[in-house]
Amino acid sequence: CGKTTVTEEPKKSPDDDKVVAAASGSGFFVSKKGHIVTNHHVIDECKAVKVNYKADEIPAKIIAIDKTNDLAIIQAKISPSKIYAVSKEDVSLLEDIIVAGFPLGKKVSAAIKTSKGSVTALAGYGDNYSEFQTDAALNQGNSGGPIINQKGNVVGVAVALLPAEKAQNIFFGVKSSTLKTFAKSNNINFLPPNNYRDMSNRDLGTLITGGTVFLECWMTVAKIKQMIAQEKNRKAFYSEHK
């Protein structure tokens, strides 16, 4: 008679249920009550989201998500020193912009990092008109960070980059109008934008430093393994998990 083959289930690791710091992203304050804007993919599937603020790790709760436009609003018990206003007008072609956030997590350094560039197209990948394209450098970990103009108004939310093997220097941001519609539908109002003169680089630096935060996603080891195995996963997982 034929031999029966028994397929064994993969053995469960004893660490599978352990919750650890898994991935990072960026976010920015939009209210004195501690509301923070980021990307949905930054907080997706997290057991806990922690905000790094003034050397403390403060837990945040998820207030609203928009999976389609990759946006989320979270809230932490923080009274920020600086909050961002959001532009009432979308970006224009060739407009100068500044991106702030924590690219590559804290592997390079714990300091906030900025890059400058311009708006290179008024639509994102696949003619997505809720996004725009820029040549200001983004890296993994920048996701959810603010894109601002010289007046200090948020004109976009850093959202994605095309892999280097597909194209060079092509990055995307969610438009301010998309962010405002999302926030308004969840009864969250932003500060009115600065319509006066441009801010000095010193004042912009103070705003960026006080208003932008490093976010950390905590997950079970089992969930980390599962998500890393997904082909289209966009999380900035820490290198020790890969």
Side-chain angles (χ1 to χ4, degrees):
C1 63
K3 205 172 182 180
T4 305
T5 305
V6 178
T7 306
E8 289 186 17
E9 289 291 319
K11 290 179 181 177
K12 190 177 177 182
S13 162
D15 288 336
D16 275 0
D17 294 328
K18 190 177 178 183
V19 178
V20 297
S24 71
S26 304
F28 57 96
F29 289 112
V30 291
S31 86
K32 286 289 185 185
K33 293 180 179 177
H35 288 98
I36 297 164
V37 170
T38 187
N39 287 155
H40 172 258
H41 79 258
V42 169
I43 56 94
D44 187 31
E45 301 281 9
C46 302
K47 195 85 172 173
V49 178
K50 295 183 182 180
V51 182
N52 283 230
Y53 187 71
K54 294 186 176 178
D56 285 331
E57 287 186 347
I58 300 162
K61 61 179 180 178
I62 296 166
I63 302 297
I65 61 170
D66 176 351
K67 290 184 181 180
T68 302
N69 294 304
D70 201 0
L71 292 172
I73 295 173
I74 62 176
Q75 187 175 21
K77 289 182 179 177
I78 299 170
S79 296
S81 59
K82 294 289 180 182
I83 62 175
Y84 284 94
V86 178
S87 176
K88 287 183 177 177
E89 295 180 356
D90 278 333
V91 288
S92 55
L93 200 61
L94 298 179
E95 182 176 345
D96 291 332
I97 51 99
I98 302 160
V99 177
F102 296 88
L104 308 176
K106 293 187 175 180
K107 188 165 60 176
V108 178
S109 75
I112 194 163
K113 298 156 196 75
T114 61
S115 62
K116 286 188 173 183
S118 62
V119 176
T120 53
L122 296 178
Y125 188 76
D127 292 329
N128 180 355
Y129 280 89
S130 68
E131 296 180 359
F132 61 88
Q133 184 179 312
T134 177
D135 57 4
L138 299 175
N139 284 287
Q140 276 208 322
N142 266 120
S143 292
I147 301 175
I148 63 173
N149 59 20
Q150 197 68 31
K151 288 184 166 63
N153 300 324
V154 170
V155 294
V157 183
V159 70
L161 60 155
L162 284 185
E165 65 270 16
K166 288 189 176 181
Q168 296 291 320
N169 301 324
I170 294 182
F171 312 103
F172 302 105
V174 181
K175 290 179 179 176
S176 57
S177 58
T178 306
L179 173 59
K180 290 189 76 153
T181 301
F182 167 55
K184 190 175 180 181
S185 66
N186 288 284
N187 299 312
I188 294 167
N189 297 309
F190 297 135
L191 278 181
N194 167 28
N195 293 320
Y196 301 101
R197 67 182 66 181
D198 289 355
M199 293 174 69
S200 68
N201 283 338
R202 179 184 289 272
D203 288 342
L204 278 173
T206 302
L207 170 64
I208 287 167
T209 303
T212 317
V213 283
F214 178 81
L215 301 179
E216 206 161 42
C217 171
W218 289 63
M219 292 177 145
T220 63
V221 172
K223 180 58 75 175
I224 293 169
K225 291 176 185 173
Q226 182 188 334
M227 291 198 77
I228 286 176
Q230 293 171 3
E231 192 180 339
K232 293 186 178 179
N233 167 60
R234 294 167 68 191
K235 275 193 176 297
F237 281 105
Y238 294 139
S239 55
E240 62 262 33
H241 301 306
K242 292 178 182 177

